[in-house]
Amino acid sequence: MAKLLLVEDHEEIWDFLSRRLKRRGFDVVLAFDGRQGVEMARSERPDVILLDMNLPVIDGWTAARELKAGGETAAIPIIALTAHAMSGDREKTLQAGCDDYHPKPVDFSRLLTQIDSAMQRPAGTDGGTP
């Protein structure tokens, strides 16, 4: 069973996503701020991280940079979840170290495709979806 780390501070979103992902057979662990997300990634070693970019304590861009700079977490694929869907925002998340980008509101079937793709992609390749 693949383990996903969902780093999200809005209860409605983490509740919705975690329940749906668990029904799809994923083991889901939760973190509610950027610092906790980095610590959980280091301790839980998830297969994929779903990372909100607007988080308390440290934001998602900072968390992604820390995760990609850490030897034990550098290869874990990160999918950015963000309400930032303006021109340049996708590139900004990829430059911070995220491997893919998913604008909110969440399109669950598209997110599942991105998760599957992230788990099959060799570390360090850009599989970003337009």
Side-chain angles (χ1 to χ4, degrees):
M1 176 182 331
K3 183 186 290 189
L4 304 179
L5 170 58
L6 174 58
V7 188
E8 172 63 61
D9 63 325
H10 287 97
E11 182 177 1
E12 311 82 44
I13 297 171
W14 62 253
D15 181 56
F16 162 79
L17 279 177
S18 65
R19 282 187 292 111
R20 291 196 69 185
L21 290 165
K22 286 177 184 178
R23 279 198 300 260
R24 293 293 180 126
F26 293 102
D27 177 17
V28 180
V29 291
L30 299 170
F32 307 104
D33 66 57
R35 174 58 52 217
Q36 185 183 32
V38 170
E39 292 167 2
M40 292 286 287
R42 289 177 179 149
S43 65
E44 295 288 332
R45 303 290 177 97
D47 296 294
V48 176
I49 299 169
L50 304 176
L51 180 65
D52 182 26
M53 301 313 283
N54 291 317
L55 292 166
V57 186
I58 62 170
D59 63 32
W61 290 278
T62 303
R65 283 190 290 273
E66 284 189 27
L67 290 166
K68 291 302 181 175
E72 70 275 9
T73 56
I76 302 171
I78 301 172
I79 300 173
L81 299 177
T82 182
H84 291 272
M86 303 297 287
S87 176
D89 287 331
R90 179 179 182 277
E91 290 73 23
K92 184 179 174 185
T93 62
L94 296 176
Q95 287 173 357
C98 296
D99 299 279
D100 207 345
Y101 170 87
H102 190 95
K104 293 178 183 175
V106 173
D107 174 340
F108 191 71
S109 62
R110 179 172 172 231
L111 182 61
L112 287 175
T113 300
Q114 289 175 282
I115 292 168
D116 287 342
S117 175
M119 289 191 304
Q120 295 171 13
R121 183 178 325 127
T125 61
D126 178 10
T129 307

